[in-house]
Structures are given as C-alpha cells and as structure tokens.
Amino acid sequence: EYNGLLTSLNGIFVYLNLLEAGIGSASIQALYKPIVNKDNDRISQILSATKRNYFRNGIFFLGCLSVVAFLYPYYSHTNIQYLTVVILVFISAVPYIFKFFFRGKYTVLLTADNRLYIINFVSYIFHILANIVKIIMLYNRMNVVIIQAAFGITFMLEIVGIYIYVRRKYKTIDFNAVPDYQAISKSGSAMIHEIAYVVFSNVDVLLLTYFCGLKTVSVYSVYNLIYSNLGQLLQALTNGTNAALGQLMFENKDRYLRNFYKFEYFFQCVSCMVIVSAGAVTREFVILYTVNVSDINYLMQGITVLFVTIQILSIVRWPGVGAIKAAGMFKETQGRALAEMMINLLLSLALVRPLGMYGVLLATVVALLYRTIDVIFFTEQRILKNSKGRRPLRVILLLIFSMCVFGVEYQFSLFSNSYIDFVLHGIVFFALNSLLFGIFYFVTRKMTVYD
C-alpha cells in the first residue's frame, strides 16, 4: 500500500509542478541565439528573469503543497496513519522544492548550452547512491519515512554538485543581472504545452487512485517503473542532441536539416529496439519483482502490449517535439497539445469504470496516435519542408516492424528463476533485436533524405 501511496503522491506533485510550466522551455529556446553569439550580457539577463520566475512560483508551490499535505489523507482511501501521510507528502516533495529555488535556473543554462549530460551524470551517480541506500534500508525493514528522508538528502547533495560545476564553468554569467522578461514572453504558450503534457501523463494514476484503489495503482506503477525509466534514459539522449540542433537552427539552417534527418531516424530505430527488447522480458521482471507480494495479481494479460505501444508511439515523436521547441512554435501548436490531453482525459473517464487499467491505457494509446501523427506532419510542413513526403512513410514502416517483432517475441516469453536468468534473457533479446533493427535501419534509412 505504501508503494501505491508514493506513486499517487508523485502524480499529485507533477500537477503542482505546473507552477513551473513554461519557464524552462521558453528560457531554453530564448538562450539558443545568445549562446551561439557568445553574448554573456544577454544570457545573464535571460537567466536572471528565469531565476526570479522560478523563485516566485516556488512560493506558490509551497502553499499548494501545504494544502495537499493536510487534505490528501482524507481522500486517498488508505489505512496508513494520518500523520505519516502528511510527513511523507512534505519529504517526498523535496526534489520539486529544490528545483524551484535552486536547480531550475542551472538546468535551463546547461540544457541550452548542450551540457545536460553534466546534470544527467550527476543525477545518475546520486540516483544509484540513493537506490543503494534505499535497498539497504528496505532490507533492514526501516520506516518508510526514514527511507524517503534519506532519498531527499541524496537529492540535496546532487544540487550541491551541479552548483559547484556551474559556478566554476560560467564565471562570467550573472544570475542577478537586470532581468529581461520579454525574452521569455513565450512562456505563456509553453506553459499550456506543459499543462497539457502533465495532465496527459498523469491522469491515469489519479483516475486509478480514485476509481480502482491504491492496489491497482501499485500494479500500474510496477509496469510503469520499467517503461518510464527507459523513456527517461532515451529522452536524455534527445535532450542533449536537441540543444545542439537548436543552436544549429540559428547558426546554419541547411546543416540543421541534414543533421536532424540523420539523428531522427537513427534515434527512432534504436529506441524502438530497446523498448521491444524490454517488452520481451517484462513478464519475467514482474514475476521476480513481485514474488513475495500476494495482495493482488500483477500478471495482467495484455498490459505489457499496451505499455509497449504507448512507449513506442511516444518515442517516435520526440525529435519532432524537439524541433517544435527549438523553433519556438509554442503558440502554433498549443491547440493540438490540448486536443491530445482532452482525448486522453475524456476517454479515460469513459473507460475506467468498465475496463479499469485497460481503459485508461487504451485511452492513452488513442490520444498518442492522434498527436504523434500530428507532430510528424506539422514538423514536415512547417519546419523541415524538405523530405518530399517520405519521412512519414518510414515512421509507419518502423511502427509496423516494431510491433510485429514484439508480437512474435511476446508469444515466446521465457520464465526466470533468478535475476541472473532475467539479465541473460534480456541480453539475448537485445542482441537479436539489435541485428533485426540494424538490418531494417540500413534498408530503409535512405527513404528520407535531405535534398
């Protein structure tokens, strides 16, 4: 039940984090040109405005967090003690609090300067440390409040590491310069995108919490653990490349187009290969991960298929979304993002009662299908304007190929008696799919070329 509670809380925090919506995206886009021109004064003015907006919204976040902390226990249908839930709310929100008051401005700068790998490296180091500490504490059956507090402490140490790097690397940048709010004026439209994305991404957990209970949320969280972490890993690759492409868009449009086409298809093929490989061993992982859990059945037929479909549909559009952000076309696409959100929300509400978890996942698939097609054609017509209609065709072929490979491998899923067997099976599927997708990539990559 604690697992379901923490998953539910994270969903709520993501909604509260909407107070940050738009600040980061608009600031990153505004920084591309001055970074290319090495205009430190301009960079300082934009970052000063970014810092002040983060701080102001952080105050509101703390106020909203306090309301949630004292009201959430009444509506969560949990047997956990009231005071324990309140404490967990505040402790679990530490990463979000520090993002507003400390980390946000540094993330913006490093992302725009194509140095997000620094944050990723530091985050991975401390994330591994936090999980080691968490495993040790769980093994010793320590209180969940203490475990979450330890996780929060490691996050604070992560902030210190990032702060030290930024202060040494960017000595000429003044975060207290005269702020240029006009430079980040697109934050309003960017905020609409962020709101739509957050609602779209987290409506499943909230609806399952209310209509199905925390045990169902716990099942959802186990499957989501696999694909959300893989998604974050793959998205980290696009974040760094998107920054480089964003700068290149203002420096040399012809080189930008050539590099975008090369990166997009390679990334799509590699990502689909990784997700299909994960799908082939998901059942094994769930069995091992929940071996000592008996309060609910975690092996739900067909759930893996839906999660794989969702992740693949999300992945193939990420480079296109990056192009839209780099071009600053937030206002031009905000209505489309809202449409995706409403499709998912309304369908989820309609299907959650009769179909439960299957209903909300099916709604997500339908909404993603609409928006993924839309992103591909929008970038084709408004930003790239040069692939002569072949680019959408290769995406369609990749989707069909990916689902066919997954469908075959899913029917031959193996069973593991240990994590060692699980890892070995994963390596086998990964190697096989690397070969299959490698052949597919080299056969189809010239379908879309920049002329």
Side-chain angles (χ1 to χ4, degrees):
E1 193 170 7
Y2 277 109
N3 186 36
L5 171 64
L6 294 175
T7 301
S8 182
L9 286 178
N10 285 331
I12 293 174
F13 294 152
V14 171
Y15 280 102
L16 291 181
N17 196 47
L18 287 174
L19 289 167
E20 183 265 350
I23 300 175
S25 297
S27 298
I28 291 168
Q29 194 275 331
L31 283 170
Y32 284 143
K33 189 173 182 178
I35 286 176
V36 169
N37 296 331
K38 298 181 180 179
D39 188 346
N40 289 332
D41 290 337
R42 183 75 171 149
I43 294 171
S44 297
Q45 293 169 353
I46 294 171
L47 288 173
S48 178
T50 301
K51 172 187 173 182
R52 298 188 184 200
N53 280 351
Y54 268 121
F55 187 87
R56 179 196 62 200
N57 289 9
I59 299 298
F60 288 111
F61 179 86
L62 286 175
C64 294
L65 180 66
S66 299
V67 174
V68 169
F70 294 107
L71 293 182
Y72 178 80
Y74 290 112
Y75 299 97
S76 59
H77 306 293
T78 179
N79 296 320
I80 302 172
Q81 290 184 351
Y82 177 88
L83 183 60
T84 300
V85 176
V86 172
I87 294 173
L88 280 173
V89 170
F90 282 107
I91 292 177
S92 301
V94 166
Y96 298 93
I97 295 171
F98 274 79
K99 183 173 75 170
F100 279 105
F101 292 102
F102 301 102
R103 178 172 172 168
K105 56 185 178 291
Y106 301 135
T107 301
V108 165
L109 173 59
L110 292 172
T111 301
D113 198 25
N114 196 24
R115 296 181 184 274
L116 190 61
Y117 63 88
I118 298 296
I119 289 181
N120 291 334
F121 175 76
V122 174
S123 296
Y124 289 145
I125 294 297
F126 283 99
H127 188 70
I128 292 171
L129 175 63
N131 280 291
I132 292 173
V133 172
K134 190 174 183 179
I135 290 170
I136 294 172
M137 288 183 165
L138 285 170
Y139 182 79
N140 290 282
R141 299 183 180 277
M142 297 185 71
N143 186 282
V144 67
V145 174
I146 297 175
I147 295 173
Q148 287 299 107
F151 193 85
I153 292 171
T154 57
F155 185 83
M156 286 187 275
L157 293 174
E158 177 186 325
I159 298 292
V160 173
I162 295 171
Y163 171 82
I164 292 173
Y165 175 84
V166 170
R167 288 302 180 181
R168 289 183 178 179
K169 176 66 179 178
Y170 301 96
K171 295 179 180 178
T172 59
I173 302 300
D174 181 9
F175 287 89
N176 295 310
V178 177
D180 183 1
Y181 293 106
Q182 182 60 34
I184 57 175
S185 60
K186 292 181 179 180
S187 60
S189 295
M191 179 181 68
I192 293 176
H193 277 271
E194 296 291 338
I195 291 173
Y197 176 75
V198 168
V199 174
F200 170 83
S201 301
N202 295 277
V203 69
D204 292 2
V205 170
L206 291 183
L207 290 179
L208 290 175
T209 299
Y210 184 79
F211 289 102
C212 303
L214 292 179
K215 290 183 179 180
T216 302
V217 173
S218 183
V219 176
Y220 177 93
S221 69
V222 169
Y223 287 88
N224 193 53
L225 172 71
I226 304 168
Y227 296 98
S228 63
N229 281 322
L230 280 176
Q232 289 173 11
L233 178 63
L234 294 168
Q235 194 166 28
L237 299 176
T238 65
N239 287 338
T241 308
N242 283 340
L245 290 172
Q247 293 179 25
L248 198 58
M249 180 181 286
F250 290 94
E251 186 177 350
N252 188 317
K253 186 64 179 288
D254 186 69
R255 282 182 58 206
Y256 165 77
L257 291 172
R258 293 183 185 279
N259 282 277
F260 177 85
Y261 286 127
K262 291 177 182 178
F263 164 72
E264 181 189 44
Y265 195 46
F266 179 77
F267 170 79
Q268 288 172 338
C269 287
V270 170
S271 298
C272 286
M273 181 272 293
V274 171
I275 297 302
V276 168
S277 300
V281 294
T282 293
R283 189 181 304 173
E284 295 180 64
F285 174 79
V286 173
I287 292 173
L288 291 170
Y289 191 75
T290 62
V291 65
N292 294 319
V293 181
S294 58
D295 59 343
I296 192 170
N297 178 27
Y298 282 82
L299 289 176
M300 299 179 67
Q301 189 69 28
I303 290 296
T304 300
V305 177
L306 290 172
F307 269 100
V308 167
T309 304
I310 287 169
Q311 198 62 56
I312 287 178
L313 287 174
S314 299
I315 282 171
V316 296
R317 73 179 184 179
W318 283 348
V321 171
I324 291 171
K325 289 182 177 180
M329 292 188 172
F330 300 109
K331 186 175 182 179
E332 293 84 347
T333 55
Q334 63 187 26
R336 302 158 188 256
L338 289 172
E340 178 189 37
M341 178 196 74
M342 292 305 299
I343 291 171
N344 189 34
L345 179 60
L346 295 177
L347 274 180
S348 294
L349 284 169
L351 298 176
V352 66
R353 282 187 180 276
L355 299 177
M357 192 190 306
Y358 292 99
V360 296
L361 292 175
L362 283 170
T364 303
V365 169
V366 173
L368 274 172
L369 192 59
Y370 153 73
R371 182 66 173 139
T372 298
I373 293 172
D374 175 70
V375 167
I376 291 170
F377 279 98
F378 181 88
T379 53
E380 183 84 358
Q381 297 166 4
R382 299 289 299 276
I383 299 175
L384 306 177
K385 304 177 181 179
N386 219 332
S387 66
K388 301 180 178 179
R390 301 172 194 166
R391 179 168 158 264
L393 176 60
R394 75 177 181 185
V395 175
I396 294 172
L397 291 176
L398 176 60
L399 291 176
I400 294 173
F401 179 76
S402 298
M403 295 310 297
C404 286
V405 172
F406 169 69
V408 173
E409 293 179 350
Y410 183 72
Q411 298 301 318
F412 293 94
S413 294
L414 305 174
F415 290 93
S416 302
N417 295 318
S418 67
Y419 280 104
I420 295 176
D421 290 341
F422 163 72
V423 171
L424 291 175
H425 294 163
I427 292 173
V428 170
F429 279 114
F430 185 85
L432 174 62
N433 289 332
S434 295
L435 176 63
L436 294 175
F437 278 85
I439 294 171
F440 178 83
Y441 170 75
F442 284 107
V443 170
T444 59
R445 68 191 175 103
K446 291 188 177 181
M447 242 175 184
T448 302
V449 294
Y450 172 65
D451 299 320

